[in-house]
Short mmCIF file of all heavy atoms in Angstrom, two decimals:
data_model
loop_
_atom_site.label_atom_id
_atom_site.label_comp_id
_atom_site.label_asym_id
_atom_site.label_seq_id
_atom_site.Cartn_x
_atom_site.Cartn_y
_atom_site.Cartn_z
N GLU G 30 -29.94 -14.57 13.73
CA GLU G 30 -29.23 -14.33 14.99
C GLU G 30 -27.75 -14.00 14.75
O GLU G 30 -27.06 -13.55 15.56
CB GLU G 30 -29.31 -15.63 15.90
CG GLU G 30 -30.73 -16.06 16.20
CD GLU G 30 -31.52 -14.95 16.95
OE1 GLU G 30 -30.91 -14.24 17.73
OE2 GLU G 30 -32.74 -14.81 16.71
N GLU G 31 -27.27 -14.33 13.49
CA GLU G 31 -25.88 -14.03 13.12
C GLU G 31 -25.86 -13.86 11.62
O GLU G 31 -26.78 -14.16 10.92
CB GLU G 31 -24.94 -15.21 13.54
CG GLU G 31 -25.32 -16.57 12.95
CD GLU G 31 -24.42 -17.65 13.45
OE1 GLU G 31 -23.55 -17.44 14.27
OE2 GLU G 31 -24.62 -18.81 12.93
N GLY G 32 -24.75 -13.28 11.18
CA GLY G 32 -24.56 -13.04 9.76
C GLY G 32 -24.92 -11.67 9.28
O GLY G 32 -25.64 -10.95 9.93
N THR G 33 -24.40 -11.32 8.12
CA THR G 33 -24.72 -10.06 7.42
C THR G 33 -24.98 -10.44 6.01
O THR G 33 -24.05 -10.60 5.19
CB THR G 33 -23.61 -8.99 7.52
OG1 THR G 33 -23.86 -7.96 6.62
CG2 THR G 33 -22.22 -9.57 7.32
N PRO G 34 -26.28 -10.67 5.62
CA PRO G 34 -26.57 -11.26 4.30
C PRO G 34 -25.99 -10.58 3.11
O PRO G 34 -26.05 -9.32 3.03
CB PRO G 34 -28.14 -11.18 4.26
CG PRO G 34 -28.57 -11.02 5.67
CD PRO G 34 -27.48 -10.29 6.37
N GLN G 35 -25.39 -11.38 2.22
CA GLN G 35 -24.90 -10.82 0.96
C GLN G 35 -26.04 -10.34 0.09
O GLN G 35 -27.07 -11.01 0.00
CB GLN G 35 -24.12 -11.90 0.23
CG GLN G 35 -22.70 -12.16 0.71
CD GLN G 35 -22.08 -13.24 -0.11
OE1 GLN G 35 -22.27 -14.42 0.14
NE2 GLN G 35 -21.21 -12.88 -1.03
N GLY G 36 -25.89 -9.22 -0.50
CA GLY G 36 -26.96 -8.66 -1.33
C GLY G 36 -27.25 -7.21 -1.09
O GLY G 36 -27.86 -6.57 -1.96
N GLY G 37 -26.94 -6.76 0.10
CA GLY G 37 -27.27 -5.30 0.40
C GLY G 37 -26.02 -4.48 0.32
O GLY G 37 -24.91 -5.02 0.43
N PRO G 38 -26.14 -3.17 0.02
CA PRO G 38 -25.02 -2.28 -0.10
C PRO G 38 -24.14 -2.14 1.14
O PRO G 38 -22.95 -1.75 1.07
CB PRO G 38 -25.61 -0.92 -0.52
CG PRO G 38 -26.97 -1.26 -0.98
CD PRO G 38 -27.39 -2.45 -0.22
N LEU G 39 -24.71 -2.38 2.30
CA LEU G 39 -23.98 -2.18 3.58
C LEU G 39 -23.11 -3.42 3.94
O LEU G 39 -22.13 -3.31 4.60
CB LEU G 39 -25.00 -1.88 4.68
CG LEU G 39 -24.45 -1.32 6.02
CD1 LEU G 39 -23.63 -0.10 5.80
CD2 LEU G 39 -25.62 -1.12 6.98
N SER G 40 -23.50 -4.54 3.46
CA SER G 40 -22.88 -5.82 3.85
C SER G 40 -21.39 -5.86 3.52
O SER G 40 -20.57 -6.28 4.35
CB SER G 40 -23.56 -7.02 3.17
OG SER G 40 -23.11 -8.22 3.67
N PRO G 41 -20.94 -5.41 2.36
CA PRO G 41 -19.48 -5.45 2.05
C PRO G 41 -18.63 -4.62 3.05
O PRO G 41 -17.59 -5.07 3.49
CB PRO G 41 -19.40 -4.88 0.64
CG PRO G 41 -20.72 -5.15 0.02
CD PRO G 41 -21.68 -5.01 1.13
N LEU G 42 -19.13 -3.42 3.42
CA LEU G 42 -18.42 -2.59 4.34
C LEU G 42 -18.34 -3.28 5.72
O LEU G 42 -17.30 -3.31 6.34
CB LEU G 42 -19.06 -1.23 4.43
CG LEU G 42 -18.45 -0.27 5.52
CD1 LEU G 42 -17.00 0.05 5.17
CD2 LEU G 42 -19.29 1.02 5.59
N LEU G 43 -19.48 -3.82 6.17
CA LEU G 43 -19.48 -4.51 7.47
C LEU G 43 -18.56 -5.70 7.46
O LEU G 43 -17.91 -5.95 8.52
CB LEU G 43 -20.90 -4.92 7.82
CG LEU G 43 -21.98 -3.80 7.96
CD1 LEU G 43 -23.33 -4.35 8.32
CD2 LEU G 43 -21.51 -2.82 9.04
N SER G 44 -18.46 -6.40 6.39
CA SER G 44 -17.54 -7.57 6.33
C SER G 44 -16.12 -7.07 6.44
O SER G 44 -15.29 -7.75 7.09
CB SER G 44 -17.77 -8.35 5.02
OG SER G 44 -17.36 -7.64 3.91
N ASN G 45 -15.74 -5.98 5.81
CA ASN G 45 -14.40 -5.50 5.88
C ASN G 45 -14.09 -4.98 7.30
O ASN G 45 -13.00 -5.11 7.80
CB ASN G 45 -14.16 -4.35 4.85
CG ASN G 45 -13.77 -4.84 3.50
OD1 ASN G 45 -13.17 -5.92 3.43
ND2 ASN G 45 -14.08 -4.07 2.49
N ILE G 46 -15.09 -4.45 7.95
CA ILE G 46 -14.89 -3.94 9.36
C ILE G 46 -14.58 -5.09 10.28
O ILE G 46 -13.67 -5.01 11.12
CB ILE G 46 -16.16 -3.13 9.79
CG1 ILE G 46 -16.24 -1.79 9.07
CG2 ILE G 46 -16.10 -2.89 11.31
CD1 ILE G 46 -17.54 -1.04 9.26
N ILE G 47 -15.29 -6.20 10.19
CA ILE G 47 -15.09 -7.33 11.08
C ILE G 47 -13.77 -8.02 10.75
O ILE G 47 -13.08 -8.54 11.65
CB ILE G 47 -16.31 -8.27 11.07
CG1 ILE G 47 -16.28 -9.23 12.31
CG2 ILE G 47 -16.33 -9.12 9.80
CD1 ILE G 47 -16.62 -8.57 13.56
N LEU G 48 -13.39 -8.09 9.48
CA LEU G 48 -12.20 -8.78 9.06
C LEU G 48 -10.95 -7.91 9.18
O LEU G 48 -9.82 -8.41 8.98
CB LEU G 48 -12.29 -9.37 7.67
CG LEU G 48 -13.27 -10.58 7.55
CD1 LEU G 48 -13.41 -11.02 6.05
CD2 LEU G 48 -12.78 -11.75 8.35
N ASP G 49 -11.12 -6.66 9.44
CA ASP G 49 -10.01 -5.77 9.60
C ASP G 49 -9.12 -6.19 10.79
O ASP G 49 -7.89 -6.04 10.82
CB ASP G 49 -10.42 -4.30 9.81
CG ASP G 49 -9.26 -3.34 9.83
OD1 ASP G 49 -8.46 -3.32 8.84
OD2 ASP G 49 -9.15 -2.55 10.80
N LYS G 50 -9.77 -6.79 11.79
CA LYS G 50 -9.01 -7.28 12.93
C LYS G 50 -8.04 -8.42 12.53
O LYS G 50 -6.94 -8.55 13.04
CB LYS G 50 -9.95 -7.79 14.02
CG LYS G 50 -9.33 -8.03 15.37
CD LYS G 50 -10.41 -8.25 16.47
CE LYS G 50 -9.71 -8.43 17.83
NZ LYS G 50 -10.67 -8.64 18.91
N LEU G 51 -8.50 -9.25 11.58
CA LEU G 51 -7.64 -10.32 11.05
C LEU G 51 -6.47 -9.70 10.32
O LEU G 51 -5.36 -10.11 10.46
CB LEU G 51 -8.46 -11.23 10.13
CG LEU G 51 -7.65 -12.21 9.30
CD1 LEU G 51 -6.91 -13.21 10.15
CD2 LEU G 51 -8.57 -12.99 8.29
N ASP G 52 -6.76 -8.66 9.47
CA ASP G 52 -5.71 -8.00 8.70
C ASP G 52 -4.63 -7.41 9.62
O ASP G 52 -3.42 -7.55 9.39
CB ASP G 52 -6.29 -6.83 7.87
CG ASP G 52 -7.30 -7.32 6.81
OD1 ASP G 52 -7.24 -8.59 6.51
OD2 ASP G 52 -8.08 -6.54 6.32
N LYS G 53 -5.12 -6.76 10.69
CA LYS G 53 -4.15 -6.13 11.57
C LYS G 53 -3.29 -7.19 12.35
O LYS G 53 -2.08 -6.99 12.58
CB LYS G 53 -4.92 -5.28 12.69
CG LYS G 53 -5.67 -4.08 12.07
CD LYS G 53 -4.69 -3.12 11.38
CE LYS G 53 -5.41 -1.81 11.01
NZ LYS G 53 -6.30 -1.97 9.86
N GLU G 54 -3.94 -8.33 12.68
CA GLU G 54 -3.15 -9.41 13.25
C GLU G 54 -2.08 -9.97 12.34
O GLU G 54 -0.94 -10.23 12.77
CB GLU G 54 -4.12 -10.54 13.69
CG GLU G 54 -3.44 -11.71 14.40
CD GLU G 54 -2.87 -11.36 15.75
OE1 GLU G 54 -3.24 -10.36 16.33
OE2 GLU G 54 -2.05 -12.16 16.24
N LEU G 55 -2.43 -10.10 11.06
CA LEU G 55 -1.45 -10.62 10.07
C LEU G 55 -0.32 -9.60 9.89
O LEU G 55 0.82 -9.98 9.73
CB LEU G 55 -2.19 -10.86 8.74
CG LEU G 55 -3.17 -12.07 8.74
CD1 LEU G 55 -4.00 -12.07 7.45
CD2 LEU G 55 -2.44 -13.38 8.94
N GLU G 56 -0.67 -8.28 9.90
CA GLU G 56 0.36 -7.30 9.81
C GLU G 56 1.32 -7.27 10.99
O GLU G 56 2.54 -7.19 10.81
CB GLU G 56 -0.29 -5.89 9.68
CG GLU G 56 -0.94 -5.69 8.28
CD GLU G 56 -1.68 -4.37 8.20
OE1 GLU G 56 -1.94 -3.72 9.25
OE2 GLU G 56 -1.98 -3.94 7.08
N VAL G 57 0.79 -7.44 12.20
CA VAL G 57 1.61 -7.42 13.40
C VAL G 57 2.57 -8.65 13.33
O VAL G 57 3.73 -8.52 13.75
CB VAL G 57 0.70 -7.54 14.64
CG1 VAL G 57 1.57 -7.92 15.88
CG2 VAL G 57 -0.01 -6.22 14.90
N ARG G 58 2.17 -9.71 12.77
CA ARG G 58 2.97 -10.92 12.65
C ARG G 58 3.94 -10.84 11.52
O ARG G 58 4.78 -11.72 11.33
CB ARG G 58 2.13 -12.14 12.57
CG ARG G 58 1.22 -12.42 13.76
CD ARG G 58 0.52 -13.76 13.62
NE ARG G 58 -0.49 -13.99 14.67
CZ ARG G 58 -1.07 -15.12 14.92
NH1 ARG G 58 -0.73 -16.23 14.21
NH2 ARG G 58 -1.98 -15.27 15.89
N GLY G 59 3.82 -9.82 10.69
CA GLY G 59 4.74 -9.65 9.57
C GLY G 59 4.49 -10.49 8.36
O GLY G 59 5.38 -10.75 7.56
N HIS G 60 3.23 -10.97 8.21
CA HIS G 60 2.96 -11.89 7.11
C HIS G 60 2.69 -11.15 5.80
O HIS G 60 2.20 -10.04 5.77
CB HIS G 60 1.74 -12.75 7.40
CG HIS G 60 1.95 -13.77 8.47
ND1 HIS G 60 3.04 -14.65 8.48
CD2 HIS G 60 1.28 -14.07 9.62
CE1 HIS G 60 3.00 -15.40 9.56
NE2 HIS G 60 1.95 -15.10 10.26
N LYS G 61 3.00 -11.83 4.69
CA LYS G 61 2.67 -11.32 3.35
C LYS G 61 1.34 -11.91 3.00
O LYS G 61 1.14 -13.14 2.88
CB LYS G 61 3.69 -11.77 2.32
CG LYS G 61 5.13 -11.47 2.72
CD LYS G 61 5.48 -10.01 2.57
CE LYS G 61 6.98 -9.79 2.78
NZ LYS G 61 7.30 -8.35 2.69
N PHE G 62 0.33 -11.08 2.82
CA PHE G 62 -1.00 -11.59 2.55
C PHE G 62 -1.81 -10.69 1.65
O PHE G 62 -1.48 -9.54 1.48
CB PHE G 62 -1.82 -11.79 3.90
CG PHE G 62 -2.24 -10.53 4.56
CD1 PHE G 62 -3.57 -10.09 4.37
CD2 PHE G 62 -1.38 -9.80 5.30
CE1 PHE G 62 -3.94 -8.93 4.99
CE2 PHE G 62 -1.78 -8.60 5.92
CZ PHE G 62 -3.08 -8.17 5.78
N VAL G 63 -2.84 -11.24 1.04
CA VAL G 63 -3.81 -10.51 0.22
C VAL G 63 -5.19 -10.98 0.62
O VAL G 63 -5.44 -12.18 0.65
CB VAL G 63 -3.58 -10.77 -1.27
CG1 VAL G 63 -4.57 -10.00 -2.12
CG2 VAL G 63 -2.15 -10.50 -1.71
N ARG G 64 -6.05 -10.05 0.90
CA ARG G 64 -7.44 -10.38 1.24
C ARG G 64 -8.43 -9.65 0.35
O ARG G 64 -8.29 -8.45 0.13
CB ARG G 64 -7.75 -10.12 2.68
CG ARG G 64 -9.20 -10.58 3.14
CD ARG G 64 -9.48 -10.33 4.58
NE ARG G 64 -9.56 -8.94 4.90
CZ ARG G 64 -10.60 -8.13 4.61
NH1 ARG G 64 -11.68 -8.62 3.97
NH2 ARG G 64 -10.58 -6.86 4.95
N TYR G 65 -9.35 -10.37 -0.19
CA TYR G 65 -10.43 -9.77 -0.98
C TYR G 65 -11.74 -10.35 -0.38
O TYR G 65 -12.07 -11.50 -0.61
CB TYR G 65 -10.35 -10.13 -2.47
CG TYR G 65 -11.31 -9.35 -3.32
CD1 TYR G 65 -10.87 -8.23 -4.01
CD2 TYR G 65 -12.60 -9.74 -3.48
CE1 TYR G 65 -11.73 -7.44 -4.79
CE2 TYR G 65 -13.50 -8.98 -4.27
CZ TYR G 65 -13.03 -7.87 -4.91
OH TYR G 65 -13.95 -7.15 -5.68
N ALA G 66 -12.44 -9.50 0.40
CA ALA G 66 -13.66 -9.95 1.17
C ALA G 66 -13.23 -11.17 2.00
O ALA G 66 -12.31 -11.02 2.80
CB ALA G 66 -14.76 -10.29 0.14
N ASP G 67 -13.88 -12.30 1.84
CA ASP G 67 -13.55 -13.45 2.71
C ASP G 67 -12.53 -14.40 2.06
O ASP G 67 -12.30 -15.47 2.58
CB ASP G 67 -14.82 -14.21 3.08
CG ASP G 67 -15.60 -14.71 1.84
OD1 ASP G 67 -15.46 -14.09 0.76
OD2 ASP G 67 -16.37 -15.70 1.98
N ASP G 68 -11.98 -14.01 0.92
CA ASP G 68 -10.90 -14.75 0.31
C ASP G 68 -9.55 -14.18 0.80
O ASP G 68 -9.16 -13.10 0.49
CB ASP G 68 -10.93 -14.63 -1.22
CG ASP G 68 -11.98 -15.52 -1.83
OD1 ASP G 68 -12.20 -16.61 -1.30
OD2 ASP G 68 -12.57 -15.11 -2.87
N CYS G 69 -8.85 -15.03 1.62
CA CYS G 69 -7.56 -14.57 2.26
C CYS G 69 -6.45 -15.54 1.89
O CYS G 69 -6.58 -16.70 2.21
CB CYS G 69 -7.76 -14.41 3.77
SG CYS G 69 -6.25 -13.75 4.56
N ASN G 70 -5.45 -15.03 1.30
CA ASN G 70 -4.25 -15.87 0.90
C ASN G 70 -3.07 -15.27 1.64
O ASN G 70 -2.73 -14.09 1.50
CB ASN G 70 -3.99 -15.85 -0.59
CG ASN G 70 -4.94 -16.83 -1.34
OD1 ASN G 70 -5.82 -17.41 -0.70
ND2 ASN G 70 -4.70 -16.99 -2.64
#
């Protein structure tokens, strides 16, 4: 009912698409950040 299982070629792209909203929010706030998949510092 939820999730995009790790293991398929499409999953990494879909994860970046959903987390791009987080990236854009961090940019608007002017934060210094680095994100690699679901690892966000």
Side-chain angles (χ1 to χ4, degrees):
E30 303 299 328
E31 58 183 3
T33 167
Q35 284 179 277
L39 193 55
S40 189
L42 175 62
L43 297 180
S44 69
N45 274 334
I46 289 171
I47 198 71
L48 288 176
D49 186 55
K50 194 170 183 180
L51 170 62
D52 298 341
K53 295 299 190 287
E54 181 67 17
L55 292 171
E56 287 176 344
V57 167
R58 298 187 187 193
H60 290 311
K61 309 287 186 182
F62 73 98
V63 181
R64 184 178 66 79
Y65 190 97
D67 58 334
D68 283 325
C69 184
N70 281 4

